[in-house]
Amino acid sequence: MPTYRAPVKDMQFVLNDVLNIAQYSNLPGYAEATPDLVSAILEEGGKFCENELQPLNLSGDHEGCTRHEDGSVTTPKGFKEAYQKYVEGGWVGLTGPEEFGGQGMPHVIGMCMEEMLVSSNMAFAMYPGLSQGAMASIIIEGTDEQKAKYLPNMVEGSWTGTMNLTEPHCGTDLGLLRTKAEPNDDGTFAISGTKIFISAGEHDMSDNIIHLVLAKLPDAPKGVKGISLFIVPKFLINEDGSLGERNGVTCGSIEEKMGIHGNSTCVLNYDGATGYMLGEPHKGLRAMFIMMNAARLGVGVQGLGLSEVSYQNAVEYANDRVQGRSLKGATAPDKPADPIIVHPDVRRNLLNSRSFNEAARAAASWAALLVDLSRKAEDEKEREWADDIVGLLTPVIKGVFTDRGYENATAAQQVFGGHGYISEWGMEQFVRDARIAQIYEGTNGIQALDLVGRKLGANGGRGIQAFFKYVSEIIAENKDNETLNDFTGPLEKAIGDLQTATFWFMQNAMTNPDNAGAGSVAYMHLFGHVLIGLMWTKIAKVSANALANGTEDPSFHENKLLVGRYYMKRRIIETNALLAEIQAGSDELMALDAANF
């Protein structure tokens, strides 16, 4: 049976020491987020995930969800009761607006909780996770009446939310969607069509489900400029706030999936369902992207969460399983063989994961902090800078973190050998669950195209220039610190490769756009290495200073430096090969005729 221990200590280190969130006490929510309160939140959140959610992960995967003849869905045994405890603990509204019953905690705290939820039970985490994105869209695009009508119950958790984009013939290219919204005389709209792959689309855990649905008005322009967004509740809501009759939306089936079996991924059929426009007509994609961008960062954290839990279980197994002898001779002469952790290749698998996890946690937390700064900073320039940087980081975190999450889950499975392929150990579930994160909320190839095709040139390249400047300043500040030479040197080479790749696109992608497409995934991963290297440099500086000043926990900081050096010597050097792949262009890639594949 797999286990999970919430990495609360490491989260505290990232928040308090690496990011020093106390310096942002002037921002709404941050003044209340004292180290003691943050510690209490993380400790209690970790206990909830370890004790309530993790034990349901394997059983929920085996049982899955059940659709009944009336279209209702029952979640796996224990899920409904665990969700009720989650609601009673106030976890749904942790970062929700106080005016609607939330606690108003910083987004960066919510990101840590999200990681723990995913590590302990990804399928469960998706039920409240989708609600966060739906709430974000209503908060920004909704009228005062809509906010008052939906947000209190959603923040509380008694109602959940979804996002409805995909249709059977229409995935990424939303301009092809066919779901219709016919105006009614009372100002509402009749929504008709079919949506597929709708996570948490129907279930028994909440009293109501608030669907956000993309559809087209009769007079809609063709393409993405003709899409509107609608609020379509599962149950209509009476004037007094009570639930009324069932709306015209039903679950036609539950998708048969590779993983995340505990989450009800539904085909939803809309048959003249009553909907309410959210935002402006034909501006639905803008409103939906509010939800999608929040979800993309969350999906990136899913990659991290599964990488973390699979790593933890692989470490435990590697220390317990005896097989063969160390290449240097027996390390456990009293046993018939040595623990497999003595073998370099096992350690390679483990350190590849750990050196990613710890820096990725810092990067995800930094991105969450930037989201708060982009919305709440007092200075307009600071808000603009934060928004530019988080815009760049979003496709990188979604794409790179989920690619690496799947890679690391597979590597952890490899540590188990044949046992990793057997269901009872739980490793194959981590691999299956991790796979979807590379696909939904925009496949990782789409993330790479978004990064290269949109984000690099946004606002005249203002964001990427700001990122280059920020990384260069970090390197310059620490270049004379000999303790950090193992970090600043490789980071300087990596950022140089990223700059060269960026300029290559500027020179070669305008005349031949296929050059951008051919190198986009390599560029995304090159950027990811720079981001992870940047975080390791920040972490190393904190740990080096702690050791120099006489820390009470020297082993913690010594291990940080050891693991960070591993990444900087063995992983970040991949930027050179990625640059070569980008500069190879698209000629060979596009030369083979489609009929000859």
Side-chain angles (χ1 to χ4, degrees), residues 464-534:
I464 191 63
Q465 293 173 32
F467 183 76
F468 287 155
K469 180 181 178 184
Y470 180 77
V471 176
S472 297
E473 287 174 349
I474 296 293
I475 294 169
E477 287 171 9
N478 298 287
K479 207 160 189 178
D480 294 334
N481 187 337
E482 292 185 7
T483 307
L484 298 183
N485 284 350
D486 289 340
F487 296 87
T488 55
L491 179 59
E492 188 170 26
K493 291 179 182 178
I495 191 67
D497 287 340
L498 185 63
Q499 289 171 321
T500 301
T502 305
F503 296 143
W504 190 89
F505 280 139
M506 292 171 60
Q507 295 168 346
N508 295 277
M510 293 294 290
T511 55
N512 183 0
D514 280 339
N515 283 329
S520 59
V521 171
Y523 184 89
M524 179 179 72
H525 279 277
L526 200 168
F527 202 127
H529 277 301
V530 172
L531 176 61
I532 296 299
L534 172 65

Side-chain angles (χ1 to χ4, degrees), residues 107 156 176 326 352 354 391 409 526 554:
H107 186 54
E156 179 191 52
L176 300 176
S326 167
N352 281 348
R354 178 169 174 174
L526 200 168

